[in-house]
Amino acid sequence: MSNTLPDLPYAYDALEPFISRQIMELHHKKHHQTYVNALNAAEAAYAKASTPKERIALQAALKFNGGHINHSLFWKNLAPASSEGKGNGGTLKDGPLKDAIVSAFGSLENLKKEFNTTTAGIQGSGWGWLGLNPSTKRLEVTTTANQDPLLTHVPIIGVDIWEHAFYLQYLNVKVDYLNAIWSVINFEEAEKRLVEGGGAAKL
């Protein structure tokens, strides 16, 4: 079945002033659509490949265009900011996710610091993740390079650190973008992923 570009669950300008309409339109309509198109092409080529060598040669394209998976998660990961009176973005309520964050990091502020420091340290392009370790059932901060999907953990929160996600607004200052994005993180969606991933069981 062909992959398609998902609709955003909010308007392109809904995340302002933290992420501009211009960035959201370009990021969604152009960049994500490109990953969708390329993934479909790679999957079609893989289906037609007649030798193991041909299939192996297509692995990199399939992996890179896992950007479709990452971006589909990323859009749901965001919500209009509660600080702007627009939605629930940036608000962490009492519940399993808050308990898990406090257990693993001591506080939300500590998580933000560790996440931002780790993610800002990515050389080149990649993604910063808050993931659930399936073995320990604890939250951990980790990163993936390029458009590699997170396979070692259950993804709870993912942040795109490719320049197309922030350059038009924050130029090359990744730290400003990372500080701002917490105002539009959809913690309700993150909590849902945590519970579905079994991370609430041991809390």
Side-chain angles (χ1 to χ4, degrees):
M1 184 176 172
S2 193
N3 300 285
T4 58
L5 182 70
D7 292 332
L8 291 184
Y10 37 75
Y12 285 116
D13 62 356
L15 305 183
E16 291 186 339
F18 303 101
I19 303 179
S20 71
R21 177 191 183 102
Q22 184 185 25
I23 285 176
M24 290 301 295
E25 285 199 280
L26 284 170
H27 199 171
H28 182 249
K29 290 181 183 175
K30 302 294 184 188
H31 292 282
H32 190 174
Q33 184 66 63
T34 298
Y35 292 123
V36 170
N37 295 345
L39 180 59
N40 286 336
E43 286 180 347
Y46 190 87
K48 292 176 185 172
S50 58
T51 68
K53 184 177 179 181
E54 287 176 321
R55 287 191 284 273
I56 290 167
L58 287 163
Q59 290 296 318
L62 288 167
K63 185 178 181 183
F64 184 78
N65 290 296
H68 170 49
I69 297 169
N70 289 351
H71 282 87
S72 297
L73 182 150
F74 182 58
W75 306 133
K76 291 182 182 177
N77 221 128
L78 305 174
S82 60
S83 64
E84 301 296 307
K86 293 181 176 182
N88 66 332
T91 300
L92 176 63
K93 297 177 181 175
D94 290 340
L97 179 60
K98 185 174 182 180
D99 292 345
I101 288 172
V102 170
S103 173
F105 303 97
S107 69
L108 176 59
E109 287 308 309
N110 287 346
L111 163 61
K112 289 178 182 179
K113 285 176 189 171
E114 182 174 330
F115 187 99
N116 289 5
T117 299
T118 301
T119 304
I122 293 173
Q123 296 298 311
S125 301
W127 288 72
W129 300 95
L130 176 66
L132 178 70
N133 184 314
S135 300
T136 65
K137 299 295 184 186
R138 285 179 66 80
L139 294 176
E140 297 173 355
V141 171
T142 187
T143 62
T144 55
N146 300 315
Q147 290 295 348
D148 293 2
L150 182 64
L151 301 176
T152 57
H153 296 65
V154 176
I156 306 301
I157 293 171
V159 174
D160 188 350
I161 200 68
W162 281 65
E163 283 196 343
H164 65 234
F166 62 88
Y167 192 84
L168 289 173
Q169 188 169 2
Y170 296 99
L171 301 180
N172 62 345
V173 189
K174 286 183 190 175
V175 175
D176 288 352
Y177 162 67
L178 289 167
N179 285 333
I181 205 167
W182 290 101
S183 294
V184 290
I185 290 294
N186 187 342
F187 286 107
E188 289 181 17
E189 173 69 18
E191 183 166 270
K192 188 172 135 195
R193 289 185 199 147
L194 177 75
V195 172
E196 287 173 355
K202 284 191 168 183
L203 301 175

